[in-house]
Amino acid sequence: MTVSEVWHAALSIIADFSPMTYWRMTNGAEFWWTLTNRTQLLDDRFAEEPFLYTEIVSVCVVSEVRFRQEVLSCDWLALRQGLLSVPGLHVEEMGDVKIPPASPPNQALRLTTAA
């Protein structure tokens, strides 16, 4: 699979679950962003954002994020299993993640590709 195909498969799974994600891009940008559905994805780039999948350095998927009284979470086990099944996707499992605004203890998956 190409880098774009790997990211498209992984991002499609992420869009199905809509967890909080922390992105690192080749241009040095780092930001929180949540994909909410697959219509945001094209084969090699985002439908409404100005970058290609090949510009992604890593995506960190966080199991739970708390904003004051609100808790954002998803079916972590199903999301994890889906991402682990994507060929060419490197999945680093992390615990006790302390990336603001995520409140530890948190689990996270740091996603990268071989390229």
Side-chain angles (χ1 to χ4, degrees):
M1 291 178 74
T2 67
V3 170
S4 291
E5 290 170 332
V6 171
W7 278 122
H8 187 266
L11 297 176
S12 294
I13 293 167
I14 291 171
D16 290 342
F17 291 92
S18 298
M20 287 295 293
T21 49
Y22 188 78
W23 301 69
R24 293 179 191 261
M25 307 301 288
T26 57
N27 67 0
E30 297 181 18
F31 51 90
W32 286 96
W33 184 34
T34 301
L35 292 172
T36 55
N37 63 63
R38 290 183 182 216
T39 62
Q40 294 172 276
L41 307 173
L42 300 176
D43 289 339
D44 63 345
R45 65 190 184 290
F46 296 93
E48 299 173 1
E49 301 299 329
F51 41 81
L52 303 168
Y53 300 148
T54 55
E55 296 177 82
I56 300 170
V57 172
S58 67
V59 177
C60 186
V61 181
V62 181
S63 63
E64 180 179 287
V65 176
R66 296 177 183 265
F67 292 107
R68 297 180 185 101
Q69 302 295 345
E70 187 177 358
V71 177
L72 304 173
S73 62
C74 65
D75 183 345
W76 183 250
L77 295 177
L79 172 63
R80 179 185 167 277
Q81 191 60 38
L83 291 171
L84 287 171
S85 71
V86 175
L89 185 68
H90 296 247
V91 180
E92 177 187 354
E93 298 191 55
M94 302 181 298
D96 198 25
V97 174
K98 298 176 183 177
I99 303 172
S103 300
N106 260 320
Q107 294 176 306
L109 302 173
R110 183 175 180 272
L111 311 176
T112 57
T113 62

